[in-house]
Amino acid sequence: MRSRFGLLCAAGLVAALVYPLLFGGPVALLWRSNYAVNTGFLILFVAFIGQSWNIAGGFAGQTSFGHVVFFGTGAYVSTILHVTYGWNPWLAWPLAAAAGALVGWMIAVLSFRAGLKGSYFALITLAFAEVFRILANSVPITRGGLGMLIKADPRPENFQFRDAISFYYLALALCVLSIGIAWWLTRSRFGARLAAIRENEDAAMALGIDVFREKVRVLALSGAMCAAGGTVYAQKYLYIDPVIAFGVDKSVEMLLVSMVGGAGTIFGPLVGAGVLHIVGEVTRDLGNLVPGVKNAQPLALIVYGAILILIVRYLPDGLTSMFVRRGRAPRNG
Amino acid sequence: MLEVRGLTKRFGGLTAVDRASLDVAEGSIVGLIGPNGAGKTTLFATIAGFHRPDEGKVAFMGRDITGARPDRICERGMVRTFQITQPFAKLSVLENIMVGAWLRTADRGEAMTRATDVARRVGLVDRLDMPAGDLTVAGRKRLELARALATAPKLLLLDEVMAGLNPTEISEIVDIIRAIRADGVTILLIEHVMQAVMRLAEQVFVLNDGRMIAEGTPAAIAADPKVVEAYLGHGAAGRMLKDPPHA
Ligand SMILES: Nc1ncnc2c1ncn2[C@@H]1O[C@H](COP(=O)(O)OP(=O)(O)OP(=O)(O)O)[C@@H](O)[C@H]1O
Ligand SMILES: [Mg+2]
């Protein structure tokens, strides 16, 4: 049973590796340019930042409504270092991640010292994201609402690529790495402590867990991952502004893919990202077919909402729980 | 090994624990009894760092731990269980016990071995893969005990681990507690099941209205008019002395 599951993972990884070669190379010329590869990139990228949410919100139970605060921090830190101070973006990347960790640490210390829990903590993260958005809109270093443009100079050493495939593989590597981190959480002492905190803080404390310290750590880890995603996003699209970097919709997206796929599961964010992306595309195409509908975007949101309600009602542990009986993998040794 | 001196805990206007003192000698089993609402659980929680005391001192193994955090106190070797069981409901029984075991090791294999070993000692080994939320009341009580035991404590504070159990289950737990003590763990237990206290404890403290009203051997406590009075109400002791029940 376990080895069959491992085989499935290996097969999925191989499929993900050859996918752009099949659909991105010569086929792309015949078909719709880089559509397939960019779709793959988006799914893997959202799965990655979704996993960063999942590690705090799913594994440790620290639900956030403002995870984009880390994403935007990463995007702005690397972009400012690169554009304004002439840093190489590869070098700016780890600094962006460190800044995300720092913001995670700061939000956690402030919230958890004040004893905020559950929905209060979630709302505080939302407030932080909004404050960061307003700051980015008004301070000179971010160039305010104008946004920041990264000069196109597609060389790999410049963290820019001529082809879509390179970004696809970068997103794949990040996604695999994040799944590796999630897997480690299911087996390590740190992960066990996070699960205990999620289930019952008093009991966790009674059994010797420094609840405050572990919660701060997981927010820093999650913040670093999400911020690393922010840099990738900025380098791929070569433009960021306060709404892209700190807008609430990305927070919702990260939360949604995890919840739909299965919060606190290793593959939840990936499954959720895949399903929601396909649903989004289908509703957009359907919307375009309906006469009189000029903008299909609201339709997609309505469908997302409906899916979330159905999942929460009928599959509270997410789509992945349909495949795993009792919600956990069998244990041997 | 544990010295509590003049401990006071107030909730607003209510004094739940009022200048209570007690001692637990290393290697003993000590009972703490008292009517409902006497403040037993509050006293435990205050000793274990869950409440900051308003007055008084707590010393454990010769060191002052007054006001220390629960996780620090647990690390030092004193662990409490919860009267209202607090399982990690979605985790398996084994994972629950491992949370305790992880305190003393960072190695997964070792944590698992320790947890399985503890599960065997408390009779949960046949339910290791069951989600803790699916356990019966008796199972949950055992799990409380198991998790605490997995932290390798020197002193175990047990809060009514027998409440709600049937007589067979109670005898089983009594045996388990004896075995734990035989392994060198000192035990302080709150219990309503008098028969169990009588069978287990060498020394008993009686709390009433937050105050320690008596201490002594189980036999002496059972004969103490103050204790009978606390349990049965005003004049009960006097009536009983005049008019013994089995006469
Ligand atoms: N967190 C709290 N806030 C306010 N009052 C509390 C709190 N905890 C306990 N109390 C009150 O303190 C008193 C002592 O309660 P406690 O639970 O310690 O008694 P107990 O001896 O354990 O009773 P039982 O035998 O029913 O478990 C009660 O009057 C209770 O209502
Ligand atoms: Mg009680």
Side-chain angles (χ1 to χ4, degrees):
Chain A
M1 181 72 202
R2 195 185 193 96
S3 63
R4 226 173 65 197
F5 182 68
L7 219 63
L8 206 70
C9 290
L13 186 59
V14 170
L17 283 169
V18 299
Y19 166 84
L21 304 179
L22 292 179
F23 292 97
V27 185
L29 296 174
L30 305 172
W31 199 27
R32 279 203 266 166
S33 69
N34 277 321
Y35 174 77
V37 177
N38 277 325
T39 296
F41 166 81
L42 277 177
I43 291 175
L44 292 170
F45 180 75
V46 171
F48 169 65
I49 57 174
Q51 190 71 272
S52 84
W53 183 94
N54 189 38
I55 280 169
F59 284 91
Q62 306 305 309
T63 304
S64 118
F65 292 160
H67 233 62
V68 77
V69 71
F70 308 123
F71 176 89
T73 299
Y76 268 112
V77 165
S78 64
T79 304
I80 290 169
L81 286 174
H82 175 45
V83 172
T84 313
Y85 296 101
W87 283 47
N88 181 293
W90 289 112
L91 287 178
W93 200 18
L95 242 84
L102 192 72
V103 172
W105 176 86
M106 178 194 73
I107 292 179
V109 167
L110 291 175
S111 314
F112 300 139
R113 273 272 175 266
L116 297 177
K117 276 184 198 168
S119 41
Y120 293 99
F121 172 70
L123 287 172
I124 278 292
T125 60
L126 178 63
F128 269 105
E130 282 298 285
V131 167
F132 273 55
R133 186 179 61 76
I134 292 162
L135 277 177
N137 227 331
S138 39
V139 296
I141 194 162
T142 61
R143 306 199 185 153
L146 267 181
M148 298 185 81
L149 205 61
I150 299 174
K151 198 159 86 20
D153 181 7
R155 285 177 295 137
E157 62 271 28
N158 207 21
F159 207 144
Q160 289 184 31
F161 308 100
R162 212 172 287 281
D163 51 347
I165 291 183
S166 302
F167 268 111
Y168 172 90
Y169 281 123
L170 181 61
L172 179 61
L174 289 174
C175 183
V176 169
L177 177 73
S178 71
I179 288 173
I181 293 173
W183 176 80
W184 169 72
L185 289 182
T186 64
R187 314 202 26 105
S188 62
R189 168 156 83 174
F190 181 52
R193 289 177 167 170
L194 296 182
I197 289 168
R198 177 191 69 213
E199 295 294 317
N200 191 319
E201 285 195 10
D202 276 344
M205 220 181 280
L207 297 173
I209 296 175
D210 186 339
V211 170
F212 175 78
R213 187 185 67 191
E214 304 300 342
K215 290 205 293 194
V216 170
R217 281 184 181 169
V218 77
L219 257 291
L221 171 64
S222 174
M225 289 170 66
C226 199
T231 298
V232 172
Y233 188 96
Q235 291 299 127
K236 163 121 176 134
Y237 297 105
L238 300 179
Y239 174 75
I240 53 167
D241 69 18
V243 175
I244 292 172
F246 294 114
V248 75
D249 49 340
K250 259 191 208 63
S251 291
V252 174
E253 194 174 21
M254 288 183 248
L255 176 148
L256 208 58
V257 296
S258 301
M259 301 271 279
V260 167
T265 65
I266 298 174
F267 289 103
L270 180 59
V271 171
V275 168
L276 284 181
H277 189 87
I278 291 162
V279 168
E281 295 285 287
V282 169
T283 45
R284 202 180 56 194
D285 290 349
L286 283 181
N288 291 337
L289 291 178
V290 179
V293 175
K294 287 205 187 64
N295 180 1
Q297 197 65 30
L299 189 66
L301 285 179
I302 292 168
V303 174
Y304 278 3
I307 289 178
L308 185 64
I309 290 168
L310 287 176
I311 297 255
V312 168
R313 174 71 183 80
Y314 294 105
L315 275 178
D317 292 326
L319 288 170
T320 48
S321 65
M322 287 196 302
F323 305 107
V324 190
R325 224 170 293 159
R326 276 247 140 271
R328 62 185 59 259
R331 185 196 332 278
N332 27 352
Chain B
M1 132 175 283
L2 178 71
E3 281 174 41
V4 178
R5 289 289 169 269
L7 210 64
T8 299
K9 177 67 207 170
R10 297 188 196 93
F11 295 115
L14 177 95
T15 306
V17 176
D18 191 0
R19 286 161 290 164
S21 299
L22 67 78
D23 287 273
V24 178
E26 184 152 10
S28 59
I29 299 183
V30 176
L32 176 62
I33 65 171
N36 287 107
K40 305 181 294 295
T41 298
T42 306
L43 177 58
F44 258 32
T46 311
I47 292 172
F50 280 80
H51 300 309
R52 187 172 280 277
D54 294 295
E55 285 161 38
K57 285 225 170 304
V58 182
F60 175 57
M61 316 241 311
R63 282 165 80 175
D64 187 0
I65 57 159
T66 319
R69 286 206 321 257
D71 52 293
R72 290 261 181 280
I73 291 176
C74 179
E75 232 177 303
R76 292 247 177 103
M78 170 159 72
V79 64
R80 71 173 286 204
T81 67
F82 292 91
Q83 178 178 0
I84 300 161
T85 56
Q86 313 274 348
F88 304 123
K90 281 197 178 173
L91 306 188
S92 72
V93 167
L94 178 64
E95 286 165 329
N96 265 265
I97 306 174
M98 277 173 76
V99 171
W102 282 118
L103 181 65
R104 306 290 178 206
T105 173
D107 179 75
R108 178 177 170 78
E110 167 141 23
M112 211 176 261
T113 313
R114 282 177 182 227
T116 311
D117 189 49
V118 169
R120 197 167 292 123
R121 283 160 75 189
V122 304
L124 278 173
V125 82
D126 53 334
R127 281 166 278 183
L128 287 180
D129 285 324
M130 190 188 265
D134 291 358
L135 287 173
T136 58
V137 174
R140 282 164 182 242
K141 295 276 182 186
R142 281 177 199 236
L143 184 59
E144 280 287 329
L145 185 57
R147 279 193 322 201
L149 207 51
T151 66
K154 298 187 177 76
L155 173 61
L156 196 50
L157 308 183
L158 302 178
D159 195 347
E160 299 205 20
V161 285
M162 297 175 214
L165 305 191
N166 68 38
T168 324
E169 291 163 341
I170 289 175
S171 328
E172 281 169 11
I173 292 272
V174 166
D175 290 341
I176 290 167
I177 292 174
R178 284 218 176 103
I180 292 170
R181 194 262 296 266
D183 287 341
V185 181
T186 309
I187 293 165
L188 173 60
L189 57 91
I190 295 177
E191 208 47 73
H192 267 304
V193 182
M194 285 304 264
Q195 185 205 357
V197 179
M198 299 297 162
R199 279 169 62 190
L200 277 170
E202 288 112 32
Q203 177 87 351
V204 178
F205 288 84
V206 187
L207 199 66
N208 185 37
D209 260 338
R211 256 169 253 149
M212 213 57 94
I213 56 166
E215 75 168 277
T217 61
I221 288 294
D224 189 329
K226 282 201 301 280
V227 177
V228 179
E229 183 97 12
Y231 270 91
L232 300 178
H234 289 293
R239 285 196 300 280
M240 272 174 81
L241 290 178
K242 257 190 274 154
D243 188 15
H246 26 241

